[in-house]
Amino acid sequence: MRRVFLGVTGASGALYAKDLITRLPQHACELHLCITPDALTNINLELKKEYLTPQQFINDINAKAVLHDYKNFAAPVSSGSFMVDSYIIAPASMGFVGRAAGGISSNLIERCADVALKERRKLLILFREMPLNLIHLENLTLLTRAGAVILPAAPGFYHNPSGIDELISFVTGKIFDIIGIEHNLYKRWGDEPQSV
């Protein structure tokens, strides 16, 4: 079974996190999950809920995940000896990006990003910010050079989405492509003949 770590930070984009939390276990993934307090605040704001804890959120969406406290550096996922196939940070705040680029591990999500880079494992960073300043761009460049895959939370439109759910599914599908999970979350370019 594929083991995936998902870190949810305080950037806007709770719908991306919710979709990944729901779909990853459906694709034979053992999901390890960490949600920061700022992420929980955004989850409440963007989903119009009042979750007091990450566990309440997980229970409400019937997710199957091993939940880790964001300050628990003794969690198995904090060690390179604990085998994780892919690490996903979604959404990733620019605060996270800056600390990860600087090798700073002030919480479990940042530590897991550091582990992914030092162990040469897949690290996907789905950031949600605009516009980007030079510091953001340089930090994203540092992470790319260190081996991370940088994904802007920017869905395509060539599949003619009919609503927000299809836009979210497009981004989830791109993440699945990178970590090697087969899916049919969006219509791929070229799946149908194009008229000229």
Side-chain angles (χ1 to χ4, degrees):
M1 178 178 280
R2 183 189 312 263
R3 185 178 281 161
V4 177
F5 173 83
L6 174 61
V8 185
T9 73
S12 178
L15 289 172
Y16 294 114
K18 181 182 176 186
D19 199 50
L20 287 163
I21 293 166
T22 303
R23 291 186 191 275
L24 281 165
Q26 295 171 356
H27 288 82
C29 291
E30 177 186 296
L31 178 60
H32 288 259
L33 177 64
C34 185
I35 299 172
T36 67
D38 289 337
L40 187 62
T41 297
N42 277 347
I43 287 167
N44 286 332
L45 289 170
E46 295 178 9
L47 302 183
K48 297 186 166 98
K49 297 284 187 173
E50 292 184 17
Y51 302 117
L52 299 178
T53 66
Q55 188 65 59
Q56 285 182 331
F57 170 56
I58 298 310
N59 293 344
D60 189 49
I61 63 172
N62 296 314
K64 293 179 183 174
V66 179
L67 186 62
H68 300 283
D69 184 87
Y70 82 109
K71 284 293 185 184
N72 182 13
F73 284 90
V77 291
S78 71
S79 173
S81 67
F82 187 77
M83 297 306 295
V84 175
D85 298 290
S86 302
Y87 299 77
I88 304 166
I89 315 302
S93 69
M94 282 300 151
F96 161 81
V97 166
R99 288 184 294 277
I104 298 167
S105 297
S106 65
N107 65 41
L108 183 60
I109 296 173
E110 293 161 9
R111 169 61 185 166
C112 286
D114 194 39
V115 168
L117 293 173
K118 78 182 184 69
E119 300 290 335
R120 305 300 192 263
R121 297 181 188 155
K122 284 186 180 171
L123 172 62
L124 285 71
I125 299 173
L126 180 78
F127 74 90
R128 217 305 310 148
E129 185 66 80
M130 70 167 63
L132 298 174
N133 65 38
L134 182 59
I135 295 168
H136 299 153
L137 292 167
E138 288 181 345
N139 286 335
L140 290 167
T141 300
L142 280 172
L143 287 167
T144 298
R145 288 182 177 148
V149 178
I150 308 299
L151 295 93
F157 293 91
Y158 56 79
H159 62 297
N160 300 119
S162 61
I164 290 177
D165 288 346
E166 289 187 14
L167 294 170
I168 300 299
S169 293
F170 181 92
V171 173
T172 298
K174 296 300 270 188
I175 290 170
F176 281 12
D177 287 346
I178 294 167
I179 65 175
I181 293 177
E182 289 187 22
H183 66 89
N184 59 357
L185 293 175
Y186 63 89
K187 185 174 66 178
R188 295 179 184 281
W189 183 256
D191 279 355
E192 295 178 2
Q194 303 294 314
S195 59
V196 180

